Amino acid sequence: MIDIHNHIIYQFDDGPRSLEESLEMLKMASDQGITDVFATSHFSEMVPEELEEDYFQKLEILRREVRDQEIGIRLHSGSEIFFHHYMLETVKQIRVSTLGGLEKYVLMEFPLFLMPTGVEDTLYRLTMEGFIPIVAHPERYSALHNNPRKILNFIKFGGLLQVNAGSVLGEFGRTVKKIAMWLLENQLVHFIGSDAHSPSGGRTFKLLQAAHELEAHLDKAYINALVETNPRCIIDNIKLEKMEIPEAEPEPAGFLSRVRRRIKFI
């Protein structure tokens, strides 16, 4: 399995506090059958040269320790970029901004409680320049909970969706799980990521648990695509096509009726 969204660089963002914690997390990932991990630390509009240098220095230390301790994980560079209106310029200039440094896939996140303006335009501009935006955990944005149809706008304007393993497991509440399952059951998602932050508590590697949870809801081929085939395309620098969705229907009232009608329609 390949996990594309994780915070494993120590003493950097809100991830592990020490090198030892990072290595403990990676051992947990290896024990789950994860072979590749993207180290997607948080970055915003301003990425000073010294900050990027610090990231890559610590990534190389982690890679060396992983080899020396024979943990069996391949580490890939990357970032989780906080949305801003000049993302295209940032992505063009900053090496850490694309997954694997391959100048194609861009993992991006939004404020949890307020969806900014200009999202569709930014996604469109990125795709027109040959980049492929991946929207991190769309099911968690509470600003969209009463209008999940807006999640589909991410797809319409060129984005791919990444759902969190913890969302599938119900760790962010019932509403988040319902939205995650709605997206997955309609095969609108390309990736599941652990979004791991620490070796303990709820924010750690849980890709295997999420895959097992989904066995009762999704066919095995799609689960494999979520945790292996699609992430492999990032490593191999292969373009994944966005999901095809129907034209939006009139908006019904209430979240549950929206979900029921959307599932029936798709």
Side-chain angles (χ1 to χ4, degrees):
M1 294 187 294
I2 300 169
D3 211 322
I4 74 162
H5 182 181
N6 297 282
H7 302 265
I8 57 168
I9 302 297
Y10 59 97
Q11 296 176 358
F12 194 82
D13 52 6
D14 55 348
R17 295 168 295 180
S18 65
L19 174 61
E20 290 72 25
E21 285 194 355
S22 293
L23 293 170
E24 184 180 352
M25 291 171 67
L26 291 170
K27 289 175 184 176
M28 295 171 65
S30 181
D31 289 343
Q32 290 186 28
I34 296 169
T35 60
D36 295 78
V37 168
F38 283 84
T40 53
S41 296
H42 291 292
F43 286 89
S44 57
E45 180 177 354
M46 301 300 296
V47 184
E49 183 177 342
E50 59 271 18
L51 182 67
E52 190 177 27
E53 182 179 354
D54 183 40
Y55 168 90
F56 279 108
Q57 286 178 347
K58 289 175 177 175
L59 178 62
E60 285 306 313
I61 291 172
L62 268 178
R63 284 172 169 163
R64 184 181 67 237
E65 290 293 328
V66 163
R67 289 193 299 269
D68 291 347
Q69 298 189 31
E70 300 181 347
I71 294 176
I73 292 283
R74 290 180 289 269
L75 291 174
H76 306 272
S77 66
S79 60
E80 182 184 18
I81 303 181
F82 196 78
F83 173 83
H84 55 274
H85 293 98
Y86 303 99
M87 284 197 67
L88 179 58
E89 289 74 12
T90 299
V91 169
K92 284 183 174 181
Q93 296 171 10
I94 305 301
R95 179 164 64 113
V96 75
S97 62
T98 58
L99 297 182
L102 298 172
E103 300 182 355
K104 187 179 294 291
Y105 290 91
V106 180
L107 182 69
M108 57 193 299
E109 68 170 336
F110 298 90
L112 288 178
F113 306 110
L114 177 67
M115 192 55 53
T117 61
V119 171
E120 293 85 355
D121 179 65
T122 299
L123 290 172
Y124 179 76
R125 292 179 63 209
L126 284 167
T127 58
M128 288 299 98
E129 291 288 336
F131 298 103
I132 303 174
I134 301 174
V135 177
H137 44 64
E139 73 282 1
R140 293 190 60 206
Y141 301 127
S142 61
L144 303 179
H145 284 180
N146 288 326
N147 191 0
R149 187 184 70 186
K150 287 192 173 182
I151 295 176
L152 305 183
N153 287 339
F154 292 138
I155 302 173
K156 290 178 182 178
F157 287 89
L160 310 183
L161 304 185
Q162 174 260 305
V163 161
N164 275 9
S167 301
V168 173
L169 297 170
E171 295 175 356
F172 297 101
R174 294 178 60 185
T175 298
V176 170
K177 180 171 182 175
K178 286 178 181 178
I179 296 175
M181 294 306 301
W182 162 58
L183 292 168
L184 287 161
E185 288 171 354
N186 287 286
Q187 299 195 7
L188 297 171
V189 179
H190 276 86
F191 312 99
I192 296 177
S194 288
D195 195 4
H197 282 68
S198 71
S200 59
R203 304 296 298 276
T204 191
F205 282 96
K206 296 188 177 180
L207 203 57
L208 183 61
Q209 294 97 312
H212 286 333
E213 174 73 16
L214 291 172
E215 288 176 356
H217 306 275
L218 308 176
D219 64 66
K220 290 183 179 180
Y222 182 45
I223 296 173
N224 187 64
L226 293 166
V227 300
E228 172 61 36
T229 309
N230 291 343
R232 180 67 60 188
C233 287
I234 298 176
I235 295 172
D236 294 340
N237 210 22
I238 296 171
K239 181 180 179 181
L240 282 165
E241 299 297 333
K242 69 176 185 178
M243 299 294 187
E244 292 298 325
I245 59 175
E247 291 299 319
E249 66 214 41
E251 184 175 344
F255 169 73
L256 292 179
S257 60
R258 286 191 186 97
V259 171
R260 284 195 293 268
R261 290 187 61 181
R262 176 61 66 182
I263 290 174
K264 183 177 179 181
F265 187 65
I266 294 176

